[in-house]
Amino acid sequence: MKKILLAALLAGACTSLAFAQGAAVTIQNEEQTTFYYLLDPPDLAPVTPGSPLAATKVAEFFAAQPDQLQFTPLAPGAQASLTGLSDGSHVLVGFFDTEDQDTFPVRLITVQADSSMGERFYAVYGSPALVDATRGVGRLAQFARPSAPAQAPAEAQAAASPAEQPPATPTPQAAAPAPAPAAQPQAAAAAPAAAAAPAAAAPEPIATFSAGYNPVYFTRESKGDFSVLPIASSLTWTLPGTHIATVSAHIDDGVLTLSLASENGFAPNVSYFVYAFATRAPGAAAAFTLELRPLALPDRGACILWLNGQGTATPMIFGSVKVDGATATLTARLTDEPPAVAQLLSTVGSFDLTSCSFDSASGVYEEFYFATVAMADVPVTR
């Protein structure tokens, strides 16, 4: 099958409607605290997540005096649809209001809007934080803790003698980063008193999808015929394996780990595609493509890599795939792969995630878009 990227296929669908309404992006708060966000604040327009200056610029942004910009709250587990967006990249910046901390973890995310694809989906986590913003300072002045009642002079005198007490104004302490929920194993592994880390740490979730998630459109390919159809027309969307529940990933000491869980298990005829893009220009091809097939072999899965270039793609086996129930985990040591893989990976800015079902009897492929993930959201440790 000649693989046509979902983004390119959808570009021809419902064009007039898309231009009238603009593009849309859905974000979901995956933490147990409220996420406050801004979309495309002017002061951060030139900032790119992952760039060397991003942390400095975002820290300066939060330290600035409050202005007319108002953060929008997103409750724990809630979703928000950002509509009427122009096609292209948009900057989402926000923080998680952790009640027991004096600093808030700040996230900076590039979201891609594409009016030809319906709504893209982004799951927002508190980790990895770009910077920590101080409660009650600058743009976060309204989040200052309530002042404690003043202590009467006599009570203060009786409380302690000057020789035994610290100065009246406490010395600021560096606050620890806001804790992630227990479901995120990376935070637990970083605890100071923890025992020796296991040989392979579990990757951190970068996207989750509810059981009720439905893409707006899907693509169908049959004997060279390609079409973009509403999800209600799909013949395989409700079958086992097509629905992704969770995607996790990290790069640890040169080892890429990508873990994918399916809501209702895997099926031999279902693959999962990762389309990695260096740029998001109209018509731009993916730098490389990964096809994850959990049930490719009787005792294990397999991953196929296409290094795209000059209009061609050469497939090769990539890493190893282990399947445990409804979870498939790809592990690849980058030094064991072709040098071009690591080089291309360093240029990737984001990737699209899809599932694809193949009916061998009819020769029909149906592919379902799930999310666009920024590479800046994939933790890297060395």
Side-chain angles (χ1 to χ4, degrees):
M1 176 185 68
K2 181 180 178 183
K3 207 66 192 150
I4 302 297
L5 298 182
L6 186 62
L9 290 172
L10 290 173
C14 304
T15 303
S16 60
L17 179 62
F19 279 113
Q21 298 180 343
V25 168
T26 296
I27 60 173
Q28 178 168 317
N29 179 3
E30 299 289 350
E31 302 290 6
Q32 300 301 312
T33 57
T34 301
F35 178 62
Y36 290 85
Y37 67 91
L38 292 169
L39 183 67
D40 291 331
D43 291 347
L44 296 180
V47 177
T48 302
S51 70
L53 295 178
T56 300
K57 292 295 185 181
V58 171
E60 293 174 349
F61 174 79
F62 276 91
Q65 293 302 309
D67 52 23
Q68 72 277 12
L69 294 177
Q70 296 293 322
F71 288 94
T72 301
L74 185 61
Q79 293 184 354
S81 183
L82 313 179
T83 59
L85 305 180
S86 59
D87 283 3
S89 300
H90 295 265
V91 173
L92 180 76
V93 64
F95 63 92
F96 289 89
D97 181 8
T98 49
E99 296 182 359
D100 58 342
Q101 297 291 326
D102 291 324
T103 58
F104 299 146
V106 174
R107 295 302 315 278
L108 180 69
I109 302 170
T110 296
V111 297
Q112 299 289 337
D114 187 342
S115 56
S116 66
M117 295 189 67
E119 291 195 25
R120 290 181 182 266
F121 177 88
Y122 290 85
V124 183
Y125 292 87
S127 176
L130 178 64
V131 295
D132 286 336
T134 304
R135 176 192 292 273
V137 174
R139 296 183 187 274
L140 301 186
Q142 62 177 307
F143 294 89
R145 295 187 186 279
S147 301
Q151 194 174 30
E155 294 173 345
Q157 182 71 21
S161 65
E164 297 173 343
Q165 294 299 314
T169 302
T171 303
Q173 299 291 323
Q184 299 191 31
Q186 182 173 336
E204 181 173 340
I206 55 176
T208 60
F209 307 92
S210 68
Y213 170 78
N214 284 299
V216 178
Y217 303 107
F218 75 101
T219 61
R220 180 178 292 161
E221 174 184 350
S222 177
K223 301 175 182 177
D225 180 32
F226 300 92
S227 55
V228 181
L229 301 169
I231 192 62
S233 300
S234 172
L235 303 175
T236 61
W237 172 240
T238 58
L239 299 182
T242 55
H243 194 285
I244 299 172
T246 304
V247 179
S248 307
H250 69 199
I251 300 175
D252 184 11
D253 196 23
V255 177
L256 169 66
T257 303
L258 176 68
S259 183
L260 183 148
S262 176
E263 184 72 28
N264 50 7
F266 299 117
N269 63 323
V270 176
S271 297
Y272 306 91
F273 285 89
V274 173
Y275 300 107
F277 292 87
T279 61
R280 285 284 178 173
F288 64 85
T289 302
L290 295 177
E291 179 185 2
L292 187 66
R293 299 185 59 192
L295 300 185
L297 302 171
D299 59 340
R300 63 187 184 279
C303 182
I304 302 172
L305 165 70
W306 283 273
L307 294 176
N308 301 334
Q310 307 301 319
T312 62
T314 302
M316 63 187 75
I317 296 297
F318 181 75
S320 61
V321 177
K322 179 181 178 182
V323 179
D324 183 7
T327 300
T329 301
L330 164 68
T331 304
R333 182 171 293 279
L334 299 179
T335 55
D336 295 339
E337 303 299 334
V341 175
Q343 295 171 5
L344 287 173
L345 191 61
S346 67
T347 69
V348 169
S350 61
F351 61 87
D352 289 347
L353 176 68
T354 73
S355 68
C356 182
S357 176
F358 174 59
D359 184 349
S360 58
S362 62
V364 173
Y365 293 86
E366 291 191 346
E367 189 168 15
F368 310 96
Y369 167 83
F370 276 82
T372 298
V373 179
M375 276 301 296
D377 287 342
V378 178
V380 178
T381 57
R382 294 179 175 85

